Amino acid sequence: MSGRVRHETMFYACYSQYWMSATLDNDDEVLEPEDVSAERRIDVTHEGRAARVETHAQHGDVNLAFAFHEQEPTREPGEWQEVVEDSMRLANEVFLLNMDEGSDTVPVPGEPTELEWWRVRLHVRLDREPRVFTRWDMTRFVRHT
């Protein structure tokens, strides 16, 4: 990957949430997040492979922008009402799933076949419709030896 890679999609969230999961070619099933607290915007479970994302909008489309970076991007103040960070292990693609069994995928740059740790920063803005806009900044961990 050279530079930032960006993917945008609209995904239907229901019951105020959607799920993200790291997938591998040899997975028999998509991991779903474990029961988590509704008090947090994002809860990561299954050793970093699955996340439940709270939208605060009961049902509807969420505008998602995924930006994959080689280095941590600077924080952008202003238009975002909330910014949350966590870590996830990703490979090949990010699998999106909602409770109505809707799904979509976002490719991970380079399509790695092994799980790698990524620092994820979720930016959230709620508009009046209510419409939810989110941007994910995903930075691959650099291991210093």
Side-chain angles (χ1 to χ4, degrees):
M1 176 174 81
S2 67
R4 183 180 82 154
V5 176
R6 184 178 173 94
H7 297 279
E8 294 187 34
T9 188
M10 191 166 305
F11 189 68
Y12 187 80
C14 53
Y15 302 101
S16 302
Q17 64 186 304
Y18 63 94
W19 301 334
M20 291 175 34
S21 182
T23 60
L24 294 169
D25 289 339
N26 60 353
D27 283 343
D28 292 329
E29 62 183 301
V30 174
L31 294 175
E32 294 180 1
E34 297 170 357
D35 290 336
V36 292
S37 166
E39 298 173 11
R40 294 185 55 183
R41 175 66 70 178
I42 178 174
D43 275 302
V44 178
T45 61
H46 292 293
E47 297 177 346
R49 288 193 60 193
R52 176 192 164 279
V53 184
E54 172 67 43
T55 65
H56 293 303
Q58 183 66 18
H59 296 278
D61 289 328
V62 177
N63 294 311
L64 299 173
F66 290 86
F68 295 87
H69 304 268
E70 292 177 341
Q71 298 177 342
E72 183 178 355
T74 58
R75 286 187 175 261
E76 296 177 17
E79 66 185 75
W80 304 105
Q81 294 169 325
E82 189 173 356
V83 178
V84 180
E85 292 193 31
D86 212 321
S87 298
M88 289 189 72
R89 293 188 311 156
L90 304 175
N92 196 22
E93 63 189 8
V94 176
F95 189 81
L96 302 171
L97 183 69
N98 66 32
M99 294 180 76
D100 285 342
E101 302 301 320
S103 65
D104 198 359
T105 58
V106 175
V108 173
E111 297 180 3
T113 57
E114 299 289 324
L115 290 168
E116 297 178 339
W117 281 103
W118 291 73
R119 188 68 182 165
V120 296
R121 182 184 299 159
L122 171 64
H123 302 75
V124 179
R125 182 178 76 236
L126 303 174
D127 282 354
R128 294 183 188 160
E129 293 183 27
R131 181 164 295 212
V132 180
F133 291 88
T134 61
R135 186 183 80 213
W136 287 92
D137 281 325
M138 305 179 119
T139 309
R140 189 184 331 251
F141 276 21
V142 177
R143 300 236 191 276
H144 298 285
T145 55

